[in-house]
Amino acid sequence: KRIYLCLGQQRSCPYTESPQKFRPFEAMDISMEDLKDPERLKFLLMKYAKTEAFKVWGGFFLVSLTVFMLFSSGDFSFLLTLSSLVSVFSFLMVALKIEAGRSCKGVSLRMMECYLAIFFFRLCAIVPFEGYLPFDKSGDWFYQTCEALGFCLAGTMVYFCRFRYAATYDPSTDNFQHYWLALGAAGLSLIFHPNLNNFLPSDISWAFALYLESVAVLCQLFMFMKEGQAAPHTSHFLAAQALAKIMSFIFWASSFNELSNPNHTIKAFVGNWVVCTQLVQLLVMGDFIYHYIRCIRQGIPVSQLLCSDNV
């Protein structure tokens, strides 16, 4: 019998009666030949369905579909709510993984502290005011609830790393100076901030959260480089964050004119600056996402994402 690589383990392929139809494979790519062969297509789909990534993203898709049907009025601005939902989903996934394994290994405390500040300052801009809320009915309360849940989850993971599972956290690999990120974001927000709330402190708070969020993932990426490997749950977390930023980027890129003040010399370009900062985050995460997708397609565990020999 031929030996096939199936679900990450070597075993005899169940379709040995016609081995020519089922070639040995290492990658999880689906070709046109596979689409023409119902039995092999079924075999590959079953393989996909048993991967961790499929379970994570499949679960999220079902939740998103449910939320869209219940809380959206179909307006384009729901994309902003969906972006927040993806972000909260990623935090919940990491929190559950930490609690289940009773370990904070692979999680950047400094990144979580940045996100704690991000959620706090964004809530300061969207709870008492309506300038930065989605236009559809999800902006009535659901969007704010997602951001509040994100704040609680980020705070929970900071607590896990600092106290509950502090023994499992390795600060020697998590030494990116995130204070400089916050300082830079604060400086930019004082100069480039929109005025949708018509209240200076809240407008600056929203801008600060946006700018800090654009670079917060650097803490986790540098931790991956220090450790030489990527933890699966934090890899899925960063992938979900990238998806959330793509959605946010699409939304603000289509409505950035509302963020600018054409009657002000500097604020006339605030909308362009907001779009550029979100684009910067996507560029920062570009290499990671490229290797993440290749790992998923080739059936390689995402923990080996940084191993160039594999991807």
Side-chain angles (χ1 to χ4, degrees):
K1 291 183 179 181
R2 293 186 178 183
I3 302 299
Y4 291 78
L5 188 64
C6 183
L7 302 179
Q9 298 178 346
Q10 283 192 339
R11 68 181 189 185
S12 299
C13 181
Y15 305 108
T16 53
E17 64 275 9
S18 55
Q20 293 79 7
K21 294 173 63 178
F22 303 97
R23 65 185 183 277
F25 61 91
E26 295 180 358
M28 296 179 70
D29 300 323
I30 298 180
S31 64
M32 291 302 297
E33 295 180 1
D34 298 327
L35 295 176
K36 296 177 182 178
D37 190 335
E39 291 182 342
R40 176 166 175 77
L41 181 60
K42 180 180 177 181
F43 178 63
L44 287 175
L45 291 176
M46 290 177 62
K47 177 177 180 178
Y48 272 117
K50 293 184 179 181
T51 62
E52 181 182 6
F54 180 88
K55 295 175 182 177
V56 170
W57 291 107
F60 165 72
F61 176 78
L62 292 177
V63 172
S64 300
L65 183 61
T66 303
V67 169
F68 178 79
M69 295 176 64
L70 294 177
F71 302 106
S72 174
S73 54
D75 190 87
F76 176 73
S77 62
F78 179 74
L79 198 62
L80 191 61
T81 303
L82 187 59
S83 171
S84 179
L85 183 63
V86 174
S87 181
V88 170
F89 175 80
S90 66
F91 280 96
L92 178 61
M93 176 179 59
V94 175
L96 292 176
K97 189 69 176 181
I98 292 177
E99 183 62 27
R102 297 185 177 276
S103 172
C104 295
K105 184 178 181 180
V107 177
S108 171
L109 167 64
R110 301 196 174 198
M111 180 185 69
M112 292 304 170
E113 289 177 339
C114 285
Y115 273 106
L116 188 63
I118 289 166
F119 284 117
F120 173 79
F121 283 99
R122 183 175 292 139
L123 286 169
C124 290
I126 65 175
V127 171
F129 304 95
E130 299 181 354
Y132 302 99
L133 296 178
F135 300 131
D136 74 342
K137 64 181 182 180
S138 67
D140 294 342
W141 62 273
F142 187 77
Y143 175 68
Q144 299 92 316
T145 301
C146 287
E147 293 294 307
L149 287 174
F151 174 75
C152 294
L153 289 170
T156 298
M157 283 182 280
V158 170
Y159 168 74
F160 283 164
C161 293
R162 285 197 174 275
F163 302 103
R164 186 164 185 174
Y165 305 121
T168 63
Y169 169 69
D170 184 7
S172 64
T173 59
D174 187 22
N175 52 13
F176 190 86
Q177 299 300 317
H178 60 325
Y179 300 110
W180 291 108
L181 299 179
L183 185 62
L188 288 174
S189 64
L190 290 174
I191 302 173
F192 299 101
H193 58 268
N195 58 348
L196 294 184
N197 283 341
N198 290 318
F199 184 64
L200 185 61
S202 69
D203 290 325
I204 293 177
S205 294
W206 184 87
F208 171 76
L210 179 76
Y211 298 150
L212 182 57
E213 192 174 25
S214 300
V215 291
V217 295
L218 286 174
C219 301
Q220 186 68 64
L221 294 175
F222 271 81
M223 187 176 187
F224 283 165
M225 294 172 61
K226 286 276 189 178
E227 294 182 341
Q229 63 178 356
H233 53 290
T234 45
S235 298
H236 295 315
F237 170 87
L238 290 183
Q241 287 296 317
L243 177 60
K245 297 307 163 289
I246 290 174
M247 295 177 182
S248 180
F249 172 78
I250 294 173
F251 175 78
W252 289 116
S254 64
S255 54
F256 72 95
N257 288 328
E258 298 181 15
L259 300 174
S260 303
N261 183 0
N263 299 320
H264 194 281
T265 304
I266 296 178
K267 292 183 179 180
F269 303 98
V270 169
N272 305 74
W273 184 255
V274 166
V275 173
C276 287
T277 54
Q278 294 195 328
L279 184 60
V280 165
Q281 180 173 6
L282 296 179
L283 293 176
V284 166
M285 300 181 68
D287 183 68
F288 169 84
I289 296 304
Y290 170 76
H291 286 92
Y292 176 87
I293 294 175
R294 291 201 65 183
C295 283
I296 299 301
R297 293 188 63 190
Q298 297 183 17
I300 299 173
V302 290
S303 59
Q304 302 180 28
L305 183 142
L306 300 181
C307 301
S308 58
D309 294 340
N310 293 328
V311 294

